[in-house]
Amino acid sequence: MSESNHNPNPPVVDLTVTGMSCASCVGRVEKALAAVPGLRESSVNLATGRARLVLDDPQALPLATQALSRAGYPAEPVETRLQVEGMSCASCVGRVEKALAAAPGVTQALVNLATGIATVRHDPGATPQELADRVSRTGYAAQVIAEDTPAAHAGHDHGQDARQLRRSFLIALVLTLPVFVTEMGGHAFPPFHHWLHATFGMQPIWIMQFVLTALVLAWPGRIFFRAGFPALLRGAPEMNSLVALGSSAAFLYSTVATFAPGLLPADAVHVYFEAAAVIVTLILLGRWLEARAKGEAGEAIRRLIELAPDSATVLRDGQAVDLPVSQIRPGDLVRLRPGERVAVDGIVTEGAGRIDESMLTGEPVPVQKAVGDAVTGGTVNGTAALTFRVTATGGDTALARIIRMVEDAQTAKLPVQAMVDRITAVFVPVVIALALLTFVLWMIFGPAPALSHALVAAISVLIIACPCAMGLAVPVSIMVGTGRGAQLGVLFRRGEALQRLSDARIVAFDKTGTLTEGHPALTAFEVRGFDPDEALRLAASAETMSEHPLAAAIVQAARDRGLALEPASQAESATGKGLAAQVAGHAILIGNAAVLEQGNIAPDPALIARAGDEAAKGATPVHLAIDGQHVALMALADPIRPESIRTVRELHDLGLRSAMISGDTQATADAVGRQIGIDLIKGGVLPEGKLEQIRGFGAGSVFVGDGINDAPALAAAETGIAVGTGTDVAIESAEVVLAGGDPSGVVRAIRLSRAVMRNIRQNLFWAFGYNAALIPVAMGVLVPFGGPQLSPMLAAGAMALSSVFVVTNALRLRRVS
């Protein structure tokens, strides 16, 4: 027996096994696992759908997953996130993705250049560390992001990058200035050139330039060589390779011209130290500005992370104790002081007051909270002291789920990215080939000194090409856009929804709970010959004996007016008609028109007419008789949300059609839809009918809902939007979630989606157009027509500007509202 078999603490792995439906399935799974060598024991649970494996040999894990697949019960894929260092352009991203995709068991690998995070979906047999090692072998150091790593530490620290690059740039600038001034100052002001050569001589000046340029390349510029040449030797050149090749070519040529001029033709003895130094300095400047902008791009998610306080006041054994949030557990009672930020999710157990939820929902008005209401971590208490019982902590809180949604959306790839990936896969090798072609053509056809002209042109081609801008064009816009969405209360659960939502043609709403409040309320109250408050008080007192939702609405209306209710007696209900009771010596009769007839009560013509008007609006008319006299008409309806009319109007302004799909009767649906301004109204639709209606809308369909019965339609629509106050099932079925209950979030989502896609198109036009236009210029196509030959220094400046432009342009999305 091997030594590993005696391991007292063997590794234990839990796998989710798919496809099991009965005890026979469990038997087949157990039999398949029993045949795996290196597996000490296994247990399979049908109820949880999981298999627990005790391993004697770590290599048994991939063998176990293979055995499960062969048996027809594959293990559910898992997701691993890796922090990848050293990526600088789209070519780097492509190589990391290619390395991960080639790993056994990997089904999907997405790498985000803006965040530096790789998200890998793979078979449980492929361990996260193996994936990280595979990436590291390609030259990009990778480490596994643990599941419990706080989101604040999961992404790359662009702030630290910016500080390091700023320091490197300033060092390079100080070293480069003397080189630049002594070489280029003479061209701008010939007397200065003559003075320099008369005072110091040409050779000492060149030696000084050699020393300073060597320091620039070896010190702040070493980051390009450290990454660029190894990538070149691996046959996988990237942006750093282009910079390293261009600057080193200029430096080596100049070194030969300085110390061994006899090796060059007499008319080709020139130095380009200033080009090598300025290339590195300008690109460092661009990298610094880019890192700063990337840091600003991630500002939204950092603000979300910072919403959660570090500690809270917990009641333990009757004493108030300040504890770190990490020590708070579900069931704890937390005391919330006025103005304090809520630490974790919970339910109010004591007190009442308003809480500002704008940072999570985008809705500016504070929300009233009382005993039994939910509070969310990250929101801000108003002026009242509250106590709440903790329901969720850590990764289970609403804030943590929101942050994870934003992170997932930011790592996604839009369909438009596929074109970029195909081009960037071959971009750097093509640029190197074009630089070689340029050198050869200038050597053959260029004027004397051909060698120096050819060198300048080839270096310019290498330097001006910018795969960075192409790599950043899409992900940085997604990063800023989804972060801004979170601030507006619009959460994109899947990044591709950003692209699809921009092409929306029709937006369909569920009625109840989405366009309306979702519960009945007293919407009209007309009284004849009786005190209105007294009539409502007596009616509500009688309705306390009923459990009907309409009765609850009448009781709530009385309480909202501060009316004191009386005990009711002798209550009798007539199913489908109404209720009779005695309250404070009065005979109360409440119900529909049939109740009046049954009680031999003469109907009031004005109240009957008003009942017809309210019914036409979709409300339920309820008549009230007191002591045998018809005295009041109450209209009860599911109130339309105040924001619904504005939402539909703004959708029309965006050029979109609106639809409403409801299970209510067509008459009720028509009444509500007309008030809101809906274009297409479908009533009497069952849950399965919603699915057919959505499919009938075709491409560009958006469905907005909140209930369990909306889940199929949310999934069937091209883009499903769930109202965040709805059920978990609806939210899981949707691609976009509105953090609050305000349907106007749909308009914000569509505006943001259109802005992001417009921004991406601008970035791609710049990135591709820049390269398409300037690489030929760098090759010298304008020279035969009297145009200029591009300087390597100008090429470096243009290249640095390209990346900065793309990131800065994306930052404009932070102003979308």
Side-chain angles (χ1 to χ4, degrees), residues 59-120:
Q59 294 303 316
L61 181 57
L63 296 176
T65 59
Q66 292 168 18
L68 289 171
S69 296
R70 285 195 299 270
Y73 304 94
E76 189 174 277
V78 297
E79 189 173 278
T80 294
R81 292 189 303 156
L82 306 175
Q83 181 65 58
V84 184
E85 304 291 342
M87 295 189 298
S88 59
C89 67
S91 298
C92 307
V93 170
R95 290 186 180 91
V96 173
E97 286 184 341
K98 187 176 179 180
L100 288 169
V106 171
T107 56
Q108 185 184 50
L110 299 175
V111 180
N112 189 302
L113 178 60
T115 61
I117 292 178
T119 304
V120 192

Side-chain angles (χ1 to χ4, degrees), residues 56 127 137 160 237 409 421 667 692 790:
D56 275 330
T127 66
R137 286 195 294 272
Q160 176 66 19
D421 290 345
E692 295 304 317
L790 195 65

Side-chain angles (χ1 to χ4, degrees), residues 285-512:
L285 172 62
R287 288 269 185 100
W288 169 38
L289 296 176
E290 181 185 319
R292 281 182 57 190
K294 282 182 181 177
E296 292 175 29
E299 188 66 29
I301 198 167
R302 277 196 299 278
R303 286 179 183 170
L304 282 175
I305 293 163
E306 291 165 1
L307 289 179
D310 296 325
S311 63
T313 304
V314 182
L315 299 177
R316 292 272 173 91
D317 300 323
Q319 300 293 318
V321 184
D322 282 339
L323 290 178
V325 170
S326 59
Q327 295 182 19
I328 298 176
R329 298 288 178 266
D332 283 341
L333 287 174
V334 175
R335 183 170 291 169
L336 190 61
R337 302 183 186 93
E340 192 175 21
R341 198 174 289 277
V342 182
V344 291
D345 296 358
I347 301 292
V348 177
T349 58
E350 184 180 333
R354 290 186 173 274
I355 287 184
D356 181 359
E357 298 183 338
S358 60
M359 64 288 298
L360 293 181
T361 65
E363 297 173 15
V365 180
V367 180
Q368 181 66 34
K369 300 290 182 180
V371 174
D373 290 335
V375 293
T376 306
T379 56
V380 180
N381 189 23
T383 57
L386 303 175
T387 302
F388 66 91
R389 187 175 301 281
V390 177
T391 56
T393 61
D396 296 327
T397 64
L399 179 60
R401 292 198 301 272
I402 286 171
I403 291 169
R404 190 55 192 266
M405 275 189 205
V406 177
E407 288 178 329
D408 289 346
Q410 288 183 346
T411 57
K413 283 202 173 185
L414 304 193
V416 71
Q417 181 75 45
M419 174 190 67
V420 182
D421 290 345
R422 286 194 297 271
I423 294 173
T424 54
V426 297
F427 181 78
V428 175
V430 166
V431 168
I432 293 174
L434 288 174
L436 292 173
L437 176 63
T438 300
F439 184 84
V440 171
L441 291 176
W442 274 90
M443 287 296 293
I444 297 172
F445 302 109
L451 181 60
S452 56
H453 282 304
L455 181 70
V456 167
I459 291 173
S460 297
V461 171
L462 288 172
I463 298 302
I464 205 163
C466 190
C468 308
M470 290 190 291
L472 289 169
V474 177
V476 77
S477 294
I478 296 173
M479 185 178 180
V480 180
T482 51
R484 179 56 180 158
Q487 292 176 327
L488 295 173
V490 178
L491 307 173
F492 289 88
R493 295 187 67 241
R494 299 177 182 90
E496 57 268 25
L498 266 173
Q499 183 168 344
R500 285 203 297 271
L501 195 56
S502 68
D503 297 325
R505 294 184 307 102
I506 183 168
V507 179
F509 295 87
D510 169 57
K511 180 180 80 71
T512 306

Side-chain angles (χ1 to χ4, degrees), residues 472-728:
L472 289 169
V474 177
V476 77
S477 294
I478 296 173
M479 185 178 180
V480 180
T482 51
R484 179 56 180 158
Q487 292 176 327
L488 295 173
V490 178
L491 307 173
F492 289 88
R493 295 187 67 241
R494 299 177 182 90
E496 57 268 25
L498 266 173
Q499 183 168 344
R500 285 203 297 271
L501 195 56
S502 68
D503 297 325
R505 294 184 307 102
I506 183 168
V507 179
F509 295 87
D510 169 57
K511 180 180 80 71
T512 306
T514 302
L515 294 174
T516 66
E517 298 287 355
H519 54 78
L522 184 64
T523 56
F525 185 44
E526 184 169 339
V527 184
R528 310 280 291 182
F530 211 90
D531 179 70
D533 281 351
E534 182 64 9
L536 182 58
R537 187 178 78 87
L538 294 175
S541 298
E543 291 288 22
T544 58
M545 307 299 290
S546 172
E547 296 180 354
H548 196 282
L550 297 182
I554 294 171
V555 172
Q556 186 61 47
R559 286 177 174 159
D560 289 344
R561 294 193 188 187
L563 304 177
L565 304 187
E566 298 276 354
S569 60
Q570 302 178 32
E572 294 181 11
S573 63
T575 302
K577 294 181 180 179
L579 173 78
Q582 291 288 323
V583 178
H586 294 284
I588 308 299
L589 187 63
I590 306 173
N592 57 22
V595 161
L596 299 177
E597 183 180 345
Q598 183 177 317
N600 295 317
I601 295 172
D604 184 290
L607 295 179
I608 294 296
R610 178 66 186 275
D613 293 342
E614 294 299 329
K617 296 178 185 177
T620 300
V622 176
H623 299 274
L624 170 64
I626 300 177
D627 295 329
Q629 182 183 354
H630 187 196
V631 300
L633 181 281
M634 295 177 283
L636 296 160
D638 184 1
I640 294 171
R641 289 182 182 270
E643 312 88 355
S644 296
I645 296 174
R646 185 182 76 247
T647 297
V648 171
R649 185 173 63 248
E650 290 178 345
L651 287 175
H652 291 160
D653 292 343
L654 291 173
L656 300 171
R657 296 179 66 218
S658 59
M660 186 181 78
I661 304 174
S662 173
D664 290 341
T665 64
Q666 187 66 47
T668 301
D670 284 339
V672 173
R674 281 195 299 269
Q675 292 180 64
I676 298 173
I678 298 289
D679 298 319
L680 182 63
I681 303 166
K682 297 287 185 180
V685 181
L686 298 175
E688 55 270 24
K690 287 184 181 180
L691 192 63
E692 295 304 317
Q693 291 287 343
I694 292 297
R695 286 175 176 162
F697 291 145
S701 64
V702 178
F703 182 72
V704 187
D706 74 322
I708 290 175
N709 60 352
D710 294 327
L714 286 167
E718 194 165 87
T719 307
I721 301 180
V723 177
T725 51
T727 65
D728 288 343

Side-chain angles (χ1 to χ4, degrees), residues 140-188:
Y140 304 96
Q143 58 184 5
V144 180
I145 299 174
E147 288 186 15
D148 57 353
T149 299
H153 307 295
H156 187 71
D157 185 0
H158 293 296
Q160 176 66 19
D161 273 357
R163 288 188 290 274
Q164 291 176 350
L165 286 165
R166 178 178 180 272
R167 185 167 55 249
S168 296
F169 163 68
L170 291 176
I171 292 170
L173 180 64
V174 169
L175 295 171
T176 299
L177 274 174
V179 179
F180 182 80
V181 170
T182 55
E183 185 63 32
M184 303 305 295
H187 295 291

